Amino acid sequence: MAQATGLARAYRPPWWLRNGHVQTVFASLGRDVPPVPYRRERLHTDDGDFIDLDWLTRGPLAAPLDAPPPPLAVVAHGLEGNTQRPYVRGMARALHAAGLDVLAWNFRGCSEEPNCLLRSYHSGATDDLRRVLQHAERCGYPTCALVGFSLGGNLTLKYLAEEGTAARGRVAAAVAISVPVDLAAGAVHLARWENRGYMVYFMRKLRRKVYEKAQRYPQLSTEGLDQMRTFQAFDDAYTAPIHGFRDAADYWARCSARPHLHRIAVPTLLLNAADDPFLPPACYPHEEAAASSHLTLDVPAYGGHVGFATQEGAYWSERRAVDFFTHHVEVPLTV
Protein backbone atom coordinates (compact mmCIF):
# COMPACT_ATOMS: atom_id res chain seq x y z
CA MET A 1 0.00 0.00 0.00
CA ALA A 2 1.23 3.50 -0.78
CA GLN A 3 2.54 5.28 2.28
CA ALA A 4 0.17 7.69 4.00
CA THR A 5 1.54 11.13 4.83
CA GLY A 6 1.53 13.06 8.08
CA LEU A 7 -2.11 14.09 8.22
CA ALA A 8 -3.56 10.65 7.52
CA ARG A 9 -6.48 9.81 9.79
CA ALA A 10 -5.74 12.88 11.96
CA TYR A 11 -9.08 14.60 11.40
CA ARG A 12 -10.84 15.56 14.61
CA PRO A 13 -13.99 17.62 13.98
CA PRO A 14 -15.75 19.80 16.53
CA TRP A 15 -18.14 17.71 18.64
CA TRP A 16 -21.22 19.10 16.90
CA LEU A 17 -19.92 17.91 13.52
CA ARG A 18 -19.50 14.25 14.50
CA ASN A 19 -22.43 13.22 12.36
CA GLY A 20 -22.23 12.49 8.65
CA HIS A 21 -25.49 14.22 7.73
CA VAL A 22 -24.62 17.34 9.74
CA GLN A 23 -21.17 17.48 8.11
CA THR A 24 -22.64 17.10 4.64
CA VAL A 25 -25.32 19.76 5.04
CA PHE A 26 -23.10 22.21 6.90
CA ALA A 27 -20.31 22.05 4.32
CA SER A 28 -22.81 22.61 1.52
CA LEU A 29 -25.04 25.28 3.03
CA GLY A 30 -23.20 26.71 6.02
CA ARG A 31 -19.72 27.34 4.72
CA ASP A 32 -18.79 30.88 3.75
CA VAL A 33 -15.88 30.92 1.30
CA PRO A 34 -14.66 34.26 -0.07
CA PRO A 35 -15.03 34.71 -3.83
CA VAL A 36 -12.20 33.35 -5.96
CA PRO A 37 -10.86 35.71 -8.67
CA TYR A 38 -11.14 33.15 -11.45
CA ARG A 39 -10.38 33.99 -15.07
CA ARG A 40 -13.00 32.33 -17.25
CA GLU A 41 -11.96 30.68 -20.50
CA ARG A 42 -14.22 28.81 -22.87
CA LEU A 43 -12.69 25.68 -24.35
CA HIS A 44 -14.42 24.78 -27.61
CA THR A 45 -14.47 21.03 -28.09
CA ASP A 46 -13.87 19.05 -31.26
CA ASP A 47 -17.46 17.77 -31.24
CA GLY A 48 -19.03 21.23 -31.48
CA ASP A 49 -19.58 21.91 -27.79
CA PHE A 50 -17.76 23.85 -25.07
CA ILE A 51 -16.33 23.42 -21.58
CA ASP A 52 -15.98 26.48 -19.35
CA LEU A 53 -12.68 26.66 -17.46
CA ASP A 54 -11.92 28.84 -14.44
CA TRP A 55 -8.26 29.66 -13.90
CA LEU A 56 -6.55 30.91 -10.74
CA THR A 57 -2.96 31.65 -11.75
CA ARG A 58 -0.03 33.83 -10.81
CA GLY A 59 0.84 34.89 -14.33
CA PRO A 60 -0.28 34.77 -17.94
CA LEU A 61 -1.14 31.47 -19.56
CA ALA A 62 1.24 29.98 -22.12
CA ALA A 63 4.30 31.20 -20.20
CA PRO A 64 7.58 31.39 -22.14
CA LEU A 65 9.81 28.33 -21.96
CA ASP A 66 12.46 30.17 -19.91
CA ALA A 67 9.88 30.97 -17.22
CA PRO A 68 8.04 27.75 -16.37
CA PRO A 69 4.78 28.24 -14.47
CA PRO A 70 4.08 26.78 -11.03
CA PRO A 71 2.60 23.29 -10.95
CA LEU A 72 -1.06 23.17 -11.96
CA ALA A 73 -3.91 21.53 -10.07
CA VAL A 74 -6.94 20.56 -12.18
CA VAL A 75 -10.10 20.38 -10.04
CA ALA A 76 -13.31 18.52 -10.97
CA HIS A 77 -16.57 19.14 -9.08
CA GLY A 78 -19.39 16.72 -8.21
CA LEU A 79 -22.88 15.91 -9.49
CA GLU A 80 -24.74 19.08 -10.49
CA GLY A 81 -21.97 21.20 -9.00
CA ASN A 82 -19.75 23.83 -10.56
CA THR A 83 -16.60 25.79 -9.84
CA GLN A 84 -18.48 28.21 -7.58
CA ARG A 85 -19.46 25.56 -5.05
CA PRO A 86 -17.87 26.21 -1.62
CA TYR A 87 -15.84 22.99 -1.70
CA VAL A 88 -14.29 23.90 -5.07
CA ARG A 89 -13.57 27.49 -4.05
CA GLY A 90 -12.09 26.32 -0.75
CA MET A 91 -9.83 23.80 -2.45
CA ALA A 92 -8.79 26.32 -5.12
CA ARG A 93 -7.83 28.87 -2.47
CA ALA A 94 -5.89 26.30 -0.43
CA LEU A 95 -3.96 24.97 -3.42
CA HIS A 96 -3.22 28.44 -4.72
CA ALA A 97 -1.96 29.55 -1.30
CA ALA A 98 0.32 26.50 -1.30
CA GLY A 99 1.99 27.56 -4.53
CA LEU A 100 -0.01 25.91 -7.32
CA ASP A 101 -1.88 27.40 -10.19
CA VAL A 102 -5.43 26.09 -10.36
CA LEU A 103 -7.72 25.14 -13.23
CA ALA A 104 -11.23 24.33 -12.02
CA TRP A 105 -13.40 23.04 -14.84
CA ASN A 106 -17.16 23.02 -15.21
CA PHE A 107 -18.71 19.88 -16.69
CA ARG A 108 -20.80 20.39 -19.81
CA GLY A 109 -23.97 22.27 -18.92
CA CYS A 110 -22.81 23.12 -15.38
CA SER A 111 -21.49 26.66 -15.87
CA GLU A 112 -24.92 28.35 -15.72
CA GLU A 113 -25.26 28.12 -19.49
CA PRO A 114 -26.70 25.10 -21.33
CA ASN A 115 -24.19 23.26 -23.46
CA CYS A 116 -24.74 22.95 -27.19
CA LEU A 117 -25.30 19.20 -27.59
CA LEU A 118 -27.81 16.68 -26.35
CA ARG A 119 -25.00 14.91 -24.50
CA SER A 120 -24.01 16.31 -21.14
CA TYR A 121 -21.64 14.88 -18.55
CA HIS A 122 -21.58 11.66 -16.55
CA SER A 123 -19.45 9.73 -14.05
CA GLY A 124 -17.23 8.19 -16.71
CA ALA A 125 -16.84 11.06 -19.19
CA THR A 126 -13.05 10.87 -19.16
CA ASP A 127 -12.88 12.22 -22.70
CA ASP A 128 -13.56 15.70 -21.35
CA LEU A 129 -10.86 15.45 -18.70
CA ARG A 130 -8.45 14.46 -21.47
CA ARG A 131 -9.50 17.54 -23.42
CA VAL A 132 -8.90 19.75 -20.38
CA LEU A 133 -5.46 18.27 -19.72
CA GLN A 134 -4.45 18.58 -23.36
CA HIS A 135 -5.48 22.23 -23.25
CA ALA A 136 -3.49 22.76 -20.05
CA GLU A 137 -0.45 21.30 -21.78
CA ARG A 138 -0.91 23.73 -24.66
CA CYS A 139 -0.99 26.51 -22.06
CA GLY A 140 2.44 25.51 -20.75
CA TYR A 141 1.58 22.93 -18.07
CA PRO A 142 2.97 19.59 -19.24
CA THR A 143 2.34 17.92 -15.86
CA CYS A 144 -0.60 18.46 -13.51
CA ALA A 145 -1.99 17.37 -10.19
CA LEU A 146 -5.63 16.26 -10.17
CA VAL A 147 -8.38 16.80 -7.60
CA GLY A 148 -11.85 15.29 -7.98
CA PHE A 149 -14.90 15.46 -5.74
CA SER A 150 -17.62 12.78 -5.64
CA LEU A 151 -18.72 12.19 -9.28
CA GLY A 152 -15.66 14.18 -10.38
CA GLY A 153 -13.54 11.94 -8.18
CA ASN A 154 -14.85 8.78 -9.86
CA LEU A 155 -14.20 10.38 -13.25
CA THR A 156 -10.66 11.29 -12.17
CA LEU A 157 -9.87 7.80 -10.88
CA LYS A 158 -11.37 6.22 -13.99
CA TYR A 159 -9.19 8.45 -16.18
CA LEU A 160 -6.04 7.49 -14.26
CA ALA A 161 -6.91 3.80 -14.55
CA GLU A 162 -7.58 4.06 -18.28
CA GLU A 163 -4.24 5.80 -18.82
CA GLY A 164 -2.27 3.42 -16.61
CA THR A 165 1.47 4.05 -16.84
CA ALA A 166 0.90 6.55 -19.66
CA ALA A 167 -0.52 8.99 -17.09
CA ARG A 168 2.92 9.42 -15.52
CA GLY A 169 3.97 11.89 -18.16
CA ARG A 170 0.93 14.09 -17.62
CA VAL A 171 -0.14 13.63 -13.98
CA ALA A 172 2.19 13.96 -10.99
CA ALA A 173 -0.36 12.99 -8.32
CA ALA A 174 -4.09 12.94 -7.64
CA VAL A 175 -6.53 13.36 -4.76
CA ALA A 176 -10.12 12.07 -4.93
CA ILE A 177 -12.58 13.02 -2.18
CA SER A 178 -15.91 11.40 -1.17
CA VAL A 179 -16.03 9.14 -4.20
CA PRO A 180 -18.72 6.55 -5.07
CA VAL A 181 -16.27 4.22 -6.80
CA ASP A 182 -19.05 1.61 -7.12
CA LEU A 183 -21.82 3.52 -8.91
CA ALA A 184 -24.46 0.82 -8.67
CA ALA A 185 -24.02 0.39 -4.93
CA GLY A 186 -23.95 4.16 -4.48
CA ALA A 187 -27.18 4.65 -6.41
CA VAL A 188 -28.97 2.00 -4.35
CA HIS A 189 -27.64 3.50 -1.12
CA LEU A 190 -28.77 7.04 -1.97
CA ALA A 191 -32.25 5.73 -2.74
CA ARG A 192 -32.67 4.61 0.88
CA TRP A 193 -35.28 6.35 3.01
CA GLU A 194 -32.79 8.15 5.25
CA ASN A 195 -31.17 9.78 2.19
CA ARG A 196 -34.39 10.97 0.57
CA GLY A 197 -33.53 14.64 1.13
CA TYR A 198 -30.38 14.37 -0.96
CA MET A 199 -32.20 12.47 -3.69
CA VAL A 200 -34.97 15.08 -3.85
CA TYR A 201 -32.33 17.79 -4.22
CA PHE A 202 -30.46 16.05 -7.04
CA MET A 203 -33.57 14.95 -8.90
CA ARG A 204 -34.99 18.47 -8.87
CA LYS A 205 -31.84 19.79 -10.55
CA LEU A 206 -31.63 16.92 -13.03
CA ARG A 207 -35.29 17.29 -14.04
CA ARG A 208 -34.78 20.99 -14.69
CA LYS A 209 -31.96 20.24 -17.12
CA VAL A 210 -33.96 17.61 -18.97
CA TYR A 211 -36.87 20.00 -19.45
CA GLU A 212 -34.47 22.64 -20.77
CA LYS A 213 -32.91 20.21 -23.24
CA ALA A 214 -36.31 18.98 -24.36
CA GLN A 215 -37.11 22.49 -25.57
CA ARG A 216 -34.18 22.27 -27.99
CA TYR A 217 -34.41 18.56 -28.76
CA PRO A 218 -38.09 17.62 -29.29
CA GLN A 219 -37.14 13.95 -29.65
CA LEU A 220 -36.23 13.93 -25.95
CA SER A 221 -39.34 12.68 -24.17
CA THR A 222 -40.20 14.02 -20.71
CA GLU A 223 -42.97 11.47 -20.15
CA GLY A 224 -42.79 10.19 -16.59
CA LEU A 225 -39.98 12.58 -15.64
CA ASP A 226 -41.89 14.15 -12.76
CA GLN A 227 -42.52 10.74 -11.25
CA MET A 228 -38.85 9.73 -11.23
CA ARG A 229 -37.45 9.53 -7.72
CA THR A 230 -34.15 7.63 -8.09
CA PHE A 231 -30.97 7.56 -10.12
CA GLN A 232 -32.03 4.12 -11.37
CA ALA A 233 -35.05 5.60 -13.12
CA PHE A 234 -33.25 8.71 -14.35
CA ASP A 235 -30.17 6.92 -15.65
CA ASP A 236 -32.31 4.29 -17.38
CA ALA A 237 -34.34 6.98 -19.16
CA TYR A 238 -31.72 9.65 -19.88
CA THR A 239 -28.08 9.24 -18.83
CA ALA A 240 -27.63 5.80 -20.39
CA PRO A 241 -29.34 6.21 -23.80
CA ILE A 242 -28.03 9.73 -24.37
CA HIS A 243 -24.44 8.68 -23.73
CA GLY A 244 -24.39 5.32 -25.48
CA PHE A 245 -25.08 2.87 -22.67
CA ARG A 246 -27.69 0.12 -22.75
CA ASP A 247 -29.32 1.04 -19.44
CA ALA A 248 -28.44 2.28 -15.95
CA ALA A 249 -26.82 -1.03 -14.99
CA ASP A 250 -24.60 -0.94 -18.08
CA TYR A 251 -23.66 2.69 -17.40
CA TRP A 252 -22.78 2.00 -13.78
CA ALA A 253 -20.80 -1.14 -14.60
CA ARG A 254 -18.76 0.49 -17.37
CA CYS A 255 -18.09 3.78 -15.58
CA SER A 256 -17.39 2.71 -11.98
CA ALA A 257 -13.76 3.31 -11.04
CA ARG A 258 -13.42 0.48 -8.51
CA PRO A 259 -12.87 -2.45 -10.91
CA HIS A 260 -9.99 -0.54 -12.50
CA LEU A 261 -8.19 0.95 -9.49
CA HIS A 262 -5.40 -1.63 -9.78
CA ARG A 263 -4.28 0.06 -13.02
CA ILE A 264 -3.57 3.44 -11.41
CA ALA A 265 0.14 4.14 -11.76
CA VAL A 266 0.63 7.59 -10.19
CA PRO A 267 0.48 8.55 -6.48
CA THR A 268 -3.23 8.81 -5.68
CA LEU A 269 -5.09 9.54 -2.46
CA LEU A 270 -8.70 8.44 -2.03
CA LEU A 271 -10.29 10.18 0.95
CA ASN A 272 -13.69 8.72 1.96
CA ALA A 273 -15.11 9.40 5.42
CA ALA A 274 -16.52 6.40 7.28
CA ASP A 275 -19.70 8.37 8.09
CA ASP A 276 -20.34 9.56 4.52
CA PRO A 277 -24.13 9.17 4.06
CA PHE A 278 -23.68 8.79 0.29
CA LEU A 279 -21.30 5.83 0.40
CA PRO A 280 -22.07 2.15 1.08
CA PRO A 281 -19.34 -0.35 2.07
CA ALA A 282 -18.62 -1.14 -1.60
CA CYS A 283 -17.18 2.38 -2.00
CA TYR A 284 -14.28 1.73 0.38
CA PRO A 285 -11.74 -0.25 -1.69
CA HIS A 286 -9.51 -1.49 1.13
CA GLU A 287 -8.28 -4.55 -0.77
CA GLU A 288 -7.31 -2.58 -3.86
CA ALA A 289 -5.41 0.01 -1.80
CA ALA A 290 -3.61 -2.70 0.18
CA ALA A 291 -2.46 -4.34 -3.04
CA SER A 292 -1.38 -1.09 -4.73
CA SER A 293 1.91 0.76 -4.51
CA HIS A 294 0.21 3.91 -5.84
CA LEU A 295 -3.23 4.14 -4.20
CA THR A 296 -3.61 5.40 -0.64
CA LEU A 297 -7.03 5.03 0.98
CA ASP A 298 -7.78 7.23 4.00
CA VAL A 299 -11.01 6.55 5.90
CA PRO A 300 -11.36 9.04 8.76
CA ALA A 301 -14.18 8.28 11.18
CA TYR A 302 -15.86 11.62 10.43
CA GLY A 303 -16.23 13.96 7.49
CA GLY A 304 -19.57 13.30 5.82
CA HIS A 305 -19.85 13.79 2.07
CA VAL A 306 -17.45 16.47 0.79
CA GLY A 307 -17.28 17.80 4.34
CA PHE A 308 -14.27 17.62 6.69
CA ALA A 309 -15.13 20.98 8.23
CA THR A 310 -12.93 22.73 10.76
CA GLN A 311 -13.73 25.56 13.13
CA GLU A 312 -11.67 28.00 11.14
CA GLY A 313 -9.53 28.28 8.03
CA ALA A 314 -9.07 25.62 5.38
CA TYR A 315 -11.05 22.40 5.66
CA TRP A 316 -9.11 19.29 6.67
CA SER A 317 -9.54 17.74 3.21
CA GLU A 318 -7.85 20.79 1.70
CA ARG A 319 -4.91 20.60 4.09
CA ARG A 320 -4.73 16.85 3.44
CA ALA A 321 -4.58 17.45 -0.32
CA VAL A 322 -1.83 20.05 0.06
CA ASP A 323 0.09 17.68 2.33
CA PHE A 324 -0.21 14.86 -0.19
CA PHE A 325 0.90 17.03 -3.11
CA THR A 326 3.82 18.36 -1.06
CA HIS A 327 5.17 14.81 -1.01
CA HIS A 328 4.50 13.99 -4.67
CA VAL A 329 4.72 17.14 -6.79
CA GLU A 330 8.29 18.01 -7.75
CA VAL A 331 8.08 21.77 -7.32
CA PRO A 332 8.29 22.57 -3.56
CA LEU A 333 5.08 23.89 -2.06
CA THR A 334 4.44 26.11 0.94
CA VAL A 335 2.32 24.21 3.48
Side-chain angles (χ1 to χ4, degrees), residues 203 224 227-239 248 252:
M203 289 303 301
Q227 286 71 50
M228 292 180 185
R229 298 289 182 268
T230 65
F231 291 150
Q232 170 86 54
F234 185 86
D235 289 344
D236 266 334
Y238 297 106
T239 310
W252 298 337

Side-chain angles (χ1 to χ4, degrees), residues 5-8 73-75 87 90-96 98 100 145-149 173-177 267-271 298 308 314-329 333-335:
T5 55
L7 288 174
V74 176
V75 182
Y87 62 88
M91 182 63 74
R93 292 176 67 87
L95 294 172
H96 193 249
L100 293 94
L146 302 183
V147 178
F149 293 93
V175 173
I177 299 169
T268 300
L269 169 66
L270 173 56
L271 178 59
D298 277 2
F308 304 101
Y315 272 32
W316 181 81
S317 52
E318 295 157 8
R319 292 190 286 114
R320 183 74 177 94
V322 169
D323 178 67
F324 190 77
F325 289 149
T326 299
H327 287 76
H328 296 291
V329 177
L333 307 180
T334 302
V335 181

Side-chain angles (χ1 to χ4, degrees), residues 47 108 115 117-120 125 127-128 131 213 242-243:
D47 59 358
R108 300 189 192 214
N115 63 304
L117 303 179
L118 177 60
R119 72 159 287 184
S120 181
D127 57 331
D128 279 348
R131 290 180 172 99
K213 282 193 178 290
I242 287 174
H243 298 98

Side-chain angles (χ1 to χ4, degrees), residues 140-318:
Y141 299 95
T143 304
C144 301
L146 302 183
V147 178
F149 293 93
S150 197
L151 180 150
N154 183 82
L155 187 154
T156 298
L157 295 174
K158 183 71 160 48
Y159 164 80
L160 292 173
E162 290 173 356
E163 293 293 302
T165 56
R168 291 173 178 165
R170 181 168 287 167
V171 179
V175 173
I177 299 169
S178 301
V179 185
V181 293
D182 186 319
L183 297 175
V188 171
H189 189 75
L190 263 178
R192 294 169 61 171
W193 181 86
E194 63 267 28
N195 289 324
R196 66 193 184 283
Y198 307 121
M199 188 62 73
V200 168
Y201 169 80
F202 285 126
M203 289 303 301
R204 182 182 299 121
K205 300 192 72 158
L206 292 169
R207 285 192 203 96
R208 187 181 303 127
K209 284 192 171 177
V210 170
Y211 279 120
E212 186 281 327
K213 282 193 178 290
Q215 293 179 0
R216 294 183 292 138
Y217 298 94
Q219 73 272 27
L220 186 65
S221 172
T222 59
E223 183 178 357
L225 178 59
D226 286 338
Q227 286 71 50
M228 292 180 185
R229 298 289 182 268
T230 65
F231 291 150
Q232 170 86 54
F234 185 86
D235 289 344
D236 266 334
Y238 297 106
T239 310
I242 287 174
H243 298 98
F245 302 102
R246 184 180 63 253
D247 53 21
D250 182 48
Y251 160 51
W252 298 337
R254 290 168 58 185
C255 292
S256 291
R258 182 164 187 171
H260 311 285
L261 293 176
H262 65 281
R263 298 191 63 237
I264 291 177
V266 301
T268 300
L269 169 66
L270 173 56
L271 178 59
N272 281 356
D275 66 351
D276 189 327
F278 287 31
L279 302 184
C283 291
Y284 299 86
H286 294 281
E287 297 83 1
E288 291 87 340
S292 174
S293 59
H294 302 289
L295 177 65
T296 298
L297 173 64
D298 277 2
V299 185
Y302 307 105
H305 191 73
V306 193
F308 304 101
T310 58
Q311 290 182 300
E312 61 182 21
Y315 272 32
W316 181 81
S317 52
E318 295 157 8

Side-chain angles (χ1 to χ4, degrees), residues 97-115:
L100 293 94
D101 283 355
V102 178
L103 167 54
W105 62 291
N106 297 276
F107 302 155
R108 300 189 192 214
C110 290
S111 58
E112 299 185 348
E113 181 177 339
N115 63 304

